[in-house]
Amino acid sequence: MKFDPSRAIADYLVFGEFGDVNPSITDSSTFTFLDSIKMQELFEHEIEGCFLYSRHWNPINKYLSGALARLEDTESAQVTASGMGAINCVIMQLCNAGDEIISSHTIYGGTYALFKNFLSKFGIKVNFVNGMTVENVRKKITPKTKVIYCETISNPLLEVADIPALSKLAKENNIKLVIDNTFSPMIVTPQRLGADIVIHSMTKFINGTSDCVAGCICSTKEFIDSINDINSGSSMLLGAVLDSFRSASIMKNLHSLHIRMQKHGLNAMYFAKQFEKLGLRTYYPGLDSHPQHNLLTSFMNEGFGYGGIVAIDVGDEKKSHKLMEMMQNEKVGYLAVSLGYFKTLFSSPSHSTSSEIPEEEQIEMGLSKGLVRFSFGLDNDIEESYRRVKYCLERL
Ligand code: PLP
Protein backbone atom coordinates (compact mmCIF):
# COMPACT_ATOMS: atom_id res chain seq x y z
CA MET A 1 0.00 0.00 0.00
CA LYS A 2 1.19 3.52 -0.83
CA PHE A 3 2.42 5.58 2.06
CA ASP A 4 2.12 9.36 2.33
CA PRO A 5 4.37 10.62 5.15
CA SER A 6 2.96 14.14 4.80
CA ARG A 7 -0.54 12.83 5.55
CA ALA A 8 0.82 10.84 8.49
CA ILE A 9 2.27 14.02 9.99
CA ALA A 10 -0.81 16.11 9.16
CA ASP A 11 -2.93 13.57 11.04
CA TYR A 12 -0.79 13.89 14.14
CA LEU A 13 -2.67 16.42 16.26
CA VAL A 14 -1.08 17.46 19.51
CA PHE A 15 -3.21 19.40 21.98
CA GLY A 16 -1.20 21.59 24.33
CA GLU A 17 -1.99 22.08 28.03
CA PHE A 18 -4.67 24.67 27.25
CA GLY A 19 -5.60 23.35 23.85
CA ASP A 20 -2.66 25.26 22.34
CA VAL A 21 -2.01 24.29 18.72
CA ASN A 22 1.69 24.65 19.45
CA PRO A 23 2.16 22.86 22.76
CA SER A 24 4.10 24.62 25.52
CA ILE A 25 7.87 24.33 25.40
CA THR A 26 9.06 22.23 28.31
CA ASP A 27 11.05 24.73 30.34
CA SER A 28 12.00 22.29 33.10
CA SER A 29 14.81 19.84 33.60
CA THR A 30 12.94 18.04 36.38
CA PHE A 31 9.33 17.16 37.22
CA THR A 32 7.47 17.08 40.50
CA PHE A 33 5.64 14.11 42.06
CA LEU A 34 2.77 14.20 44.52
CA ASP A 35 3.38 10.60 45.37
CA SER A 36 6.86 9.21 46.04
CA ILE A 37 5.82 5.66 45.09
CA LYS A 38 5.04 6.93 41.57
CA MET A 39 8.57 8.30 41.34
CA GLN A 40 9.95 4.92 42.35
CA GLU A 41 7.75 3.21 39.73
CA LEU A 42 8.97 5.58 37.04
CA PHE A 43 12.55 4.54 37.75
CA GLU A 44 11.44 0.98 37.08
CA HIS A 45 9.41 1.51 33.89
CA GLU A 46 7.90 4.24 31.74
CA ILE A 47 4.45 5.51 32.76
CA GLU A 48 2.43 7.17 30.00
CA GLY A 49 2.16 10.94 30.53
CA CYS A 50 4.53 10.93 33.49
CA PHE A 51 7.94 12.58 33.34
CA LEU A 52 10.97 12.35 35.59
CA TYR A 53 13.93 14.25 34.21
CA SER A 54 14.50 15.96 30.85
CA ARG A 55 17.56 13.94 29.81
CA HIS A 56 15.24 10.95 29.92
CA TRP A 57 12.06 12.39 28.40
CA ASN A 58 10.07 15.59 28.47
CA PRO A 59 6.71 16.44 26.87
CA ILE A 60 7.94 18.49 23.89
CA ASN A 61 10.63 15.93 22.99
CA LYS A 62 7.90 13.28 23.16
CA TYR A 63 5.68 15.29 20.82
CA LEU A 64 8.43 15.81 18.27
CA SER A 65 9.49 12.16 18.53
CA GLY A 66 5.87 11.16 17.92
CA ALA A 67 5.77 13.23 14.74
CA LEU A 68 9.09 11.75 13.55
CA ALA A 69 7.80 8.23 14.14
CA ARG A 70 4.89 9.20 11.86
CA LEU A 71 7.30 10.54 9.23
CA GLU A 72 9.31 7.31 9.21
CA ASP A 73 6.33 5.01 9.86
CA THR A 74 8.03 3.46 12.87
CA GLU A 75 6.50 2.49 16.20
CA SER A 76 8.62 4.98 18.08
CA ALA A 77 11.36 7.61 17.83
CA GLN A 78 13.83 9.56 19.94
CA VAL A 79 15.25 13.03 19.31
CA THR A 80 18.94 13.69 19.93
CA ALA A 81 21.24 16.68 20.21
CA SER A 82 22.79 16.09 16.77
CA GLY A 83 22.91 13.62 13.92
CA MET A 84 26.23 12.32 15.25
CA GLY A 85 24.55 11.93 18.67
CA ALA A 86 21.92 9.73 17.01
CA ILE A 87 24.52 7.60 15.20
CA ASN A 88 26.57 7.15 18.38
CA CYS A 89 23.54 6.19 20.45
CA VAL A 90 22.51 3.54 17.94
CA ILE A 91 25.97 2.02 17.48
CA MET A 92 26.74 2.02 21.20
CA GLN A 93 23.44 0.29 21.93
CA LEU A 94 23.83 -2.38 19.25
CA CYS A 95 27.54 -3.17 19.49
CA ASN A 96 29.79 -4.58 22.18
CA ALA A 97 33.58 -4.85 22.19
CA GLY A 98 34.56 -7.47 19.62
CA ASP A 99 31.59 -6.81 17.34
CA GLU A 100 31.82 -5.71 13.72
CA ILE A 101 29.97 -3.27 11.48
CA ILE A 102 29.78 -3.31 7.69
CA SER A 103 29.49 0.22 6.37
CA SER A 104 29.34 1.83 2.99
CA HIS A 105 32.52 3.75 2.18
CA THR A 106 30.60 6.68 0.75
CA ILE A 107 29.08 8.13 3.89
CA TYR A 108 29.26 11.52 5.57
CA GLY A 109 32.90 12.23 6.58
CA GLY A 110 32.06 12.61 10.29
CA THR A 111 30.44 9.18 10.37
CA TYR A 112 33.41 7.78 8.48
CA ALA A 113 35.82 9.29 11.05
CA LEU A 114 33.76 7.90 13.94
CA PHE A 115 33.79 4.45 12.36
CA LYS A 116 37.40 4.47 11.23
CA ASN A 117 39.17 6.28 14.06
CA PHE A 118 37.01 6.22 17.14
CA LEU A 119 35.09 2.96 17.46
CA SER A 120 38.33 0.96 17.64
CA LYS A 121 38.80 2.48 21.13
CA PHE A 122 35.84 0.36 22.17
CA GLY A 123 36.96 -2.76 20.30
CA ILE A 124 34.37 -2.31 17.53
CA LYS A 125 35.70 -2.99 14.03
CA VAL A 126 34.23 -1.44 10.89
CA ASN A 127 34.62 -3.06 7.47
CA PHE A 128 34.04 -0.55 4.66
CA VAL A 129 32.52 -1.54 1.34
CA ASN A 130 32.75 0.30 -1.97
CA GLY A 131 29.42 -0.09 -3.72
CA MET A 132 26.88 -1.41 -1.20
CA THR A 133 25.69 -4.28 -3.38
CA VAL A 134 24.39 -7.40 -1.68
CA GLU A 135 27.30 -9.39 -3.15
CA ASN A 136 29.90 -6.97 -1.77
CA VAL A 137 28.26 -6.81 1.66
CA ARG A 138 27.74 -10.57 1.87
CA LYS A 139 31.49 -11.13 1.44
CA LYS A 140 32.21 -9.07 4.57
CA ILE A 141 29.71 -10.78 6.89
CA THR A 142 31.30 -12.68 9.78
CA PRO A 143 29.71 -14.22 12.90
CA LYS A 144 30.68 -10.97 14.67
CA THR A 145 28.75 -8.64 12.33
CA LYS A 146 26.03 -6.80 14.25
CA VAL A 147 25.22 -3.86 11.97
CA ILE A 148 24.99 -3.04 8.27
CA TYR A 149 25.16 0.73 7.91
CA CYS A 150 24.59 3.05 4.96
CA GLU A 151 22.85 6.21 3.81
CA THR A 152 19.72 6.02 1.63
CA ILE A 153 21.26 8.57 -0.74
CA SER A 154 24.92 8.83 0.11
CA ASN A 155 26.87 11.93 1.01
CA PRO A 156 28.41 13.24 -1.23
CA LEU A 157 28.32 10.84 -4.21
CA LEU A 158 24.56 10.32 -4.14
CA GLU A 159 24.64 6.55 -4.44
CA VAL A 160 21.29 4.96 -3.63
CA ALA A 161 21.24 1.97 -1.29
CA ASP A 162 19.21 -1.08 -2.27
CA ILE A 163 17.44 -1.12 1.08
CA PRO A 164 15.05 -4.02 0.32
CA ALA A 165 17.90 -6.31 -0.78
CA LEU A 166 20.19 -5.27 2.10
CA SER A 167 17.35 -5.80 4.55
CA LYS A 168 16.79 -9.34 3.28
CA LEU A 169 20.49 -10.10 3.66
CA ALA A 170 20.57 -8.54 7.12
CA LYS A 171 17.54 -10.51 8.32
CA GLU A 172 18.94 -13.81 7.00
CA ASN A 173 22.06 -13.21 9.08
CA ASN A 174 20.43 -11.74 12.17
CA ILE A 175 22.09 -8.35 11.61
CA LYS A 176 20.48 -4.93 12.15
CA LEU A 177 20.18 -2.69 9.10
CA VAL A 178 20.75 0.94 10.11
CA ILE A 179 19.93 3.59 7.51
CA ASP A 180 20.83 7.28 7.61
CA ASN A 181 17.94 8.94 5.76
CA THR A 182 19.20 12.53 6.12
CA PHE A 183 19.14 13.29 2.36
CA SER A 184 15.69 11.85 1.72
CA PRO A 185 13.06 12.58 4.38
CA MET A 186 9.55 12.15 2.89
CA ILE A 187 11.09 10.72 -0.29
CA VAL A 188 12.07 7.34 1.13
CA THR A 189 10.66 5.49 4.14
CA PRO A 190 13.42 2.95 4.92
CA GLN A 191 11.45 1.10 7.62
CA ARG A 192 8.82 0.17 5.04
CA LEU A 193 11.62 -1.32 2.93
CA GLY A 194 12.94 -3.40 5.81
CA ALA A 195 15.39 -1.16 7.70
CA ASP A 196 15.52 -1.78 11.45
CA ILE A 197 16.67 1.65 12.56
CA VAL A 198 16.44 4.98 10.70
CA ILE A 199 18.59 7.95 11.62
CA HIS A 200 18.46 11.60 10.58
CA SER A 201 20.64 14.60 11.02
CA MET A 202 17.68 16.95 11.57
CA THR A 203 20.21 19.77 11.19
CA LYS A 204 19.50 19.40 7.47
CA PHE A 205 16.19 19.13 5.61
CA ILE A 206 13.92 18.22 8.53
CA ASN A 207 14.60 21.48 10.31
CA GLY A 208 15.47 23.37 7.14
CA THR A 209 16.54 26.67 8.65
CA SER A 210 20.23 25.97 9.48
CA ASP A 211 19.81 27.45 12.95
CA CYS A 212 20.65 24.38 15.05
CA VAL A 213 22.09 20.89 15.11
CA ALA A 214 19.76 18.03 15.99
CA GLY A 215 19.16 14.39 15.20
CA CYS A 216 16.72 11.55 15.62
CA ILE A 217 16.42 7.79 15.77
CA CYS A 218 13.27 6.05 14.52
CA SER A 219 12.68 2.36 15.25
CA THR A 220 10.60 -0.14 17.17
CA LYS A 221 9.23 0.70 20.61
CA GLU A 222 11.49 -2.02 21.99
CA PHE A 223 14.64 -0.39 20.59
CA ILE A 224 13.69 3.16 21.60
CA ASP A 225 12.80 1.91 25.10
CA SER A 226 16.17 0.16 25.26
CA ILE A 227 18.14 3.36 24.49
CA ASN A 228 16.15 5.13 27.21
CA ASP A 229 16.68 2.50 29.86
CA ILE A 230 17.87 4.21 33.01
CA ASN A 231 20.50 1.52 33.68
CA SER A 232 21.68 0.57 30.21
CA GLY A 233 20.32 2.97 27.58
CA SER A 234 22.77 4.83 25.32
CA SER A 235 20.50 7.86 24.99
CA MET A 236 20.00 8.13 28.73
CA LEU A 237 23.61 7.40 29.67
CA LEU A 238 25.55 9.18 26.90
CA GLY A 239 23.29 12.17 27.32
CA ALA A 240 22.88 13.47 23.75
CA VAL A 241 19.50 14.97 24.64
CA LEU A 242 17.90 17.62 22.42
CA ASP A 243 17.13 20.94 24.05
CA SER A 244 13.38 21.42 24.38
CA PHE A 245 13.38 24.91 22.81
CA ARG A 246 14.90 23.34 19.71
CA SER A 247 12.41 20.51 19.74
CA ALA A 248 9.61 23.06 19.67
CA SER A 249 11.05 25.01 16.73
CA ILE A 250 11.88 21.86 14.73
CA MET A 251 8.36 20.57 15.31
CA LYS A 252 6.94 23.70 13.67
CA ASN A 253 9.33 23.44 10.72
CA LEU A 254 8.52 19.75 10.26
CA HIS A 255 5.02 20.67 9.13
CA SER A 256 6.34 22.39 5.99
CA LEU A 257 8.85 19.64 5.15
CA HIS A 258 6.74 18.11 2.36
CA ILE A 259 6.43 21.42 0.51
CA ARG A 260 10.10 22.21 1.01
CA MET A 261 11.21 18.79 -0.26
CA GLN A 262 9.07 19.22 -3.38
CA LYS A 263 10.63 22.61 -4.13
CA HIS A 264 14.21 21.51 -3.30
CA GLY A 265 13.64 18.56 -5.62
CA LEU A 266 12.22 20.63 -8.48
CA ASN A 267 15.10 23.09 -8.31
CA ALA A 268 17.72 20.35 -8.06
CA MET A 269 16.19 18.50 -11.02
CA TYR A 270 16.20 21.68 -13.11
CA PHE A 271 19.88 22.26 -12.38
CA ALA A 272 20.91 18.61 -12.82
CA LYS A 273 19.37 18.54 -16.30
CA GLN A 274 21.08 21.79 -17.26
CA PHE A 275 24.45 20.61 -15.91
CA GLU A 276 24.14 17.42 -17.88
CA LYS A 277 23.32 19.38 -21.03
CA LEU A 278 26.51 21.38 -20.50
CA GLY A 279 28.42 18.09 -20.59
CA LEU A 280 29.44 18.22 -16.92
CA ARG A 281 29.73 14.98 -14.98
CA THR A 282 26.58 15.26 -12.88
CA TYR A 283 25.49 13.17 -9.92
CA TYR A 284 21.75 13.28 -9.26
CA PRO A 285 19.47 10.28 -8.66
CA GLY A 286 16.63 12.01 -10.52
CA LEU A 287 18.52 11.77 -13.83
CA ASP A 288 17.90 8.75 -16.08
CA SER A 289 21.68 8.46 -16.37
CA HIS A 290 22.13 7.87 -12.62
CA PRO A 291 23.01 4.18 -12.07
CA GLN A 292 20.36 3.71 -9.37
CA HIS A 293 17.67 5.98 -10.84
CA ASN A 294 15.30 3.08 -11.49
CA LEU A 295 15.99 1.53 -8.11
CA LEU A 296 15.13 4.74 -6.28
CA THR A 297 12.06 5.29 -8.46
CA SER A 298 10.89 1.77 -7.62
CA PHE A 299 10.71 2.40 -3.87
CA MET A 300 10.33 6.14 -3.32
CA ASN A 301 7.14 7.78 -2.05
CA GLU A 302 5.30 9.66 -4.76
CA GLY A 303 5.23 13.43 -5.06
CA PHE A 304 8.32 14.61 -3.19
CA GLY A 305 10.91 14.56 -5.98
CA TYR A 306 14.43 13.12 -5.93
CA GLY A 307 15.98 15.37 -3.31
CA GLY A 308 17.75 18.71 -3.21
CA ILE A 309 21.38 17.60 -3.55
CA VAL A 310 23.32 17.59 -6.82
CA ALA A 311 27.07 17.16 -7.31
CA ILE A 312 29.13 18.08 -10.36
CA ASP A 313 32.75 17.46 -11.22
CA VAL A 314 34.44 20.59 -12.53
CA GLY A 315 37.79 18.86 -13.00
CA ASP A 316 40.19 20.00 -10.32
CA GLU A 317 40.54 21.63 -6.92
CA LYS A 318 41.45 25.08 -8.26
CA LYS A 319 38.38 25.24 -10.49
CA SER A 320 36.09 24.05 -7.70
CA HIS A 321 37.34 26.82 -5.37
CA LYS A 322 37.04 29.46 -8.10
CA LEU A 323 33.53 28.38 -9.03
CA MET A 324 32.30 28.46 -5.45
CA GLU A 325 33.77 31.89 -4.72
CA MET A 326 32.29 33.29 -7.93
CA MET A 327 28.88 31.80 -7.19
CA GLN A 328 28.86 33.38 -3.75
CA ASN A 329 29.78 36.75 -5.30
CA GLU A 330 26.94 36.34 -7.80
CA LYS A 331 24.57 35.65 -4.88
CA VAL A 332 23.69 32.14 -6.01
CA GLY A 333 23.96 31.13 -2.36
CA TYR A 334 26.55 30.51 0.34
CA LEU A 335 29.90 28.74 0.22
CA ALA A 336 29.11 26.71 3.30
CA VAL A 337 28.95 23.11 4.47
CA SER A 338 25.66 21.53 5.52
CA LEU A 339 22.52 21.18 3.43
CA GLY A 340 18.76 21.36 3.43
CA TYR A 341 18.70 25.14 4.02
CA PHE A 342 16.19 27.41 2.29
CA LYS A 343 19.04 29.08 0.41
CA THR A 344 21.45 27.27 -1.86
CA LEU A 345 24.64 26.03 -0.17
CA PHE A 346 27.70 24.67 -1.94
CA SER A 347 30.94 23.12 -0.81
CA SER A 348 33.70 20.94 -2.12
CA PRO A 349 33.36 17.64 -0.18
CA SER A 350 36.90 16.47 -0.87
CA HIS A 351 38.25 19.42 1.17
CA SER A 352 35.46 19.77 3.68
CA THR A 353 32.77 17.32 4.73
CA SER A 354 34.65 14.29 3.37
CA SER A 355 38.18 15.49 4.20
CA GLU A 356 38.30 12.92 7.02
CA ILE A 357 38.58 10.26 4.30
CA PRO A 358 42.26 9.80 3.29
CA GLU A 359 43.16 10.86 -0.26
CA GLU A 360 43.85 7.35 -1.60
CA GLU A 361 40.48 6.17 -0.27
CA GLN A 362 38.75 9.18 -1.85
CA ILE A 363 40.25 8.13 -5.20
CA GLU A 364 39.17 4.51 -4.64
CA MET A 365 35.57 5.55 -3.97
CA GLY A 366 35.51 7.93 -6.94
CA LEU A 367 35.48 11.19 -4.98
CA SER A 368 37.16 13.80 -7.19
CA LYS A 369 38.88 16.94 -5.90
CA GLY A 370 36.85 18.85 -8.49
CA LEU A 371 33.53 17.75 -7.00
CA VAL A 372 31.20 20.57 -5.99
CA ARG A 373 28.13 19.59 -3.99
CA PHE A 374 25.06 21.80 -4.18
CA SER A 375 22.16 21.81 -1.77
CA PHE A 376 19.58 23.70 -3.79
CA GLY A 377 17.41 26.13 -1.91
CA LEU A 378 13.82 27.19 -2.36
CA ASP A 379 14.51 29.84 -5.07
CA ASN A 380 11.33 30.84 -6.82
CA ASP A 381 13.05 31.94 -10.02
CA ILE A 382 15.37 29.00 -10.58
CA GLU A 383 16.06 30.03 -14.17
CA GLU A 384 17.67 33.24 -12.92
CA SER A 385 19.72 31.21 -10.42
CA TYR A 386 20.88 29.00 -13.26
CA ARG A 387 21.82 31.98 -15.44
CA ARG A 388 24.13 33.13 -12.63
CA VAL A 389 25.74 29.71 -12.20
CA LYS A 390 26.23 29.40 -15.96
CA TYR A 391 27.87 32.81 -16.02
CA CYS A 392 30.36 31.53 -13.39
CA LEU A 393 30.95 28.21 -15.16
CA GLU A 394 31.75 30.05 -18.41
CA ARG A 395 34.47 32.03 -16.62
CA LEU A 396 36.27 29.10 -14.96
N1 PLP B 1 24.51 12.10 8.41
C1 PLP B 1 24.67 12.81 7.28
C2 PLP B 1 24.26 12.20 5.98
C3 PLP B 1 25.21 14.10 7.33
O1 PLP B 1 25.36 14.79 6.19
C4 PLP B 1 25.59 14.63 8.59
C5 PLP B 1 26.17 15.97 8.70
O2 PLP B 1 26.55 16.60 7.74
C6 PLP B 1 25.42 13.85 9.74
C7 PLP B 1 24.86 12.60 9.62
C8 PLP B 1 25.80 14.37 11.10
O3 PLP B 1 24.82 15.20 11.57
P1 PLP B 1 25.04 16.41 12.62
O4 PLP B 1 25.93 17.40 11.97
O5 PLP B 1 23.66 16.89 12.87
O6 PLP B 1 25.67 15.81 13.83
Side-chain angles (χ1 to χ4, degrees):
M1 208 178 70
K2 276 190 189 152
F3 176 62
D4 178 358
S6 65
R7 184 73 251 169
I9 292 178
D11 284 347
Y12 181 67
L13 295 187
V14 172
F15 296 92
E17 248 177 314
F18 303 102
D20 343 10
V21 291
N22 291 312
S24 323
I25 300 172
T26 309
D27 200 16
S28 280
S29 56
T30 190
F31 298 82
T32 186
F33 286 77
L34 296 177
D35 171 346
S36 56
I37 297 292
K38 260 274 176 295
M39 181 188 271
Q40 195 181 330
E41 275 177 38
L42 201 50
F43 268 92
E44 284 154 16
H45 58 87
E46 207 184 317
I47 304 171
E48 186 70 30
C50 222
F51 296 92
L52 179 68
Y53 186 61
S54 269
R55 172 157 47 80
H56 188 233
W57 274 117
N58 64 50
I60 194 77
N61 285 8
K62 267 264 171 207
Y63 293 147
L64 176 59
S65 298
L68 293 161
R70 295 292 183 111
L71 169 71
E72 289 298 354
D73 200 26
T74 53
E75 283 174 7
S76 192
Q78 164 78 56
V79 291
T80 56
S82 66
M84 290 309 295
I87 295 166
N88 268 301
C89 266
V90 168
I91 298 300
M92 287 299 166
Q93 197 69 26
L94 292 178
C95 297
N96 293 317
D99 288 342
E100 292 181 9
I101 296 171
I102 300 172
S103 170
S104 166
H105 214 162
T106 65
I107 48 172
Y108 163 59
T111 314
Y112 172 86
L114 169 74
F115 285 0
K116 181 88 192 266
N117 309 329
F118 209 84
L119 289 185
S120 54
K121 287 191 191 184
F122 306 98
I124 300 167
K125 184 177 168 212
V126 182
N127 296 302
F128 290 99
V129 173
N130 273 325
M132 281 296 274
T133 61
V134 169
E135 298 72 49
N136 290 349
V137 175
R138 195 194 304 275
K139 280 186 220 147
K140 301 268 180 179
I141 294 178
T142 76
K144 295 176 181 169
T145 309
K146 288 284 151 53
V147 169
I148 296 175
Y149 184 96
C150 60
E151 296 168 357
T152 309
I153 302 179
S154 75
N155 185 0
L157 288 170
L158 306 166
E159 286 173 10
V160 179
D162 189 347
I163 302 173
L166 289 172
S167 152
K168 192 163 169 279
L169 180 69
K171 285 191 173 44
E172 281 164 11
N173 291 279
N174 201 21
I175 297 169
K176 296 285 182 214
L177 178 62
V178 179
I179 299 285
D180 181 334
N181 201 28
T182 298
F183 277 30
S184 42
M186 291 276 162
I187 301 169
V188 178
T189 311
Q191 184 280 133
R192 293 180 71 88
L193 306 173
D196 297 292
I197 296 157
V198 182
I199 286 168
H200 280 276
S201 165
M202 297 203 291
T203 314
K204 315 290 165 24
F205 289 105
I206 289 186
N207 185 42
T209 42
S210 286
D211 51 2
C212 71
V213 287
C216 70
I217 303 162
C218 303
S219 188
T220 56
K221 182 170 179 329
E222 189 188 359
F223 184 72
I224 299 300
D225 285 352
S226 77
I227 63 174
N228 281 296
D229 187 284
I230 286 171
N231 294 302
S232 59
S234 56
S235 171
M236 181 63 184
L237 300 177
L238 297 177
V241 67
L242 182 60
D243 181 73
S244 50
F245 280 82
R246 280 307 175 192
S247 266
S249 62
I250 295 169
M251 176 120 164
K252 281 171 264 189
N253 290 356
L254 183 63
H255 287 279
S256 61
L257 179 63
H258 57 301
I259 301 170
R260 289 186 280 113
M261 290 313 290
Q262 286 164 0
K263 191 66 177 163
H264 285 300
L266 283 172
N267 286 349
M269 182 68 106
Y270 180 87
F271 260 90
K273 285 186 174 162
Q274 297 295 341
F275 284 148
E276 205 169 44
K277 269 194 220 154
L278 292 178
L280 287 164
R281 172 131 201 223
T282 307
Y283 301 78
Y284 186 60
L287 292 175
D288 290 342
S289 58
H290 186 283
Q292 293 99 31
H293 172 73
N294 291 339
L295 174 70
L296 178 56
T297 308
S298 72
F299 61 56
M300 66 198 277
N301 298 317
E302 259 171 47
F304 305 105
Y306 286 86
I309 313 296
V310 179
I312 54 169
D313 191 347
V314 293
D316 59 49
E317 188 173 344
K318 223 170 128 206
K319 281 187 180 163
S320 73
H321 288 309
K322 188 170 173 201
L323 175 66
M324 293 189 296
E325 285 164 19
M326 281 172 77
M327 290 194 299
Q328 184 160 254
N329 290 338
E330 291 302 316
K331 302 187 173 45
V332 173
Y334 294 111
L335 198 180
V337 296
S338 204
L339 49 110
Y341 185 41
F342 46 73
K343 283 186 185 269
T344 296
L345 302 178
F346 33 84
S347 56
S348 172
S350 164
H351 318 107
S352 59
T353 47
S354 297
S355 58
E356 297 89 342
I357 304 173
E359 199 173 330
E360 56 294 353
E361 289 185 35
Q362 290 194 18
I363 295 168
E364 209 181 298
M365 64 196 259
L367 177 52
S368 149
K369 283 188 183 305
L371 198 80
V372 177
R373 186 192 73 186
F374 292 80
S375 166
F376 285 104
L378 304 175
D379 313 20
N380 194 33
D381 185 358
I382 198 68
E383 287 165 25
E384 172 55 24
S385 307
Y386 176 64
R387 270 193 290 279
R388 296 180 191 191
V389 173
K390 192 157 173 265
Y391 170 88
C392 301
L393 283 168
E394 283 164 357
R395 279 153 189 81
L396 272 192

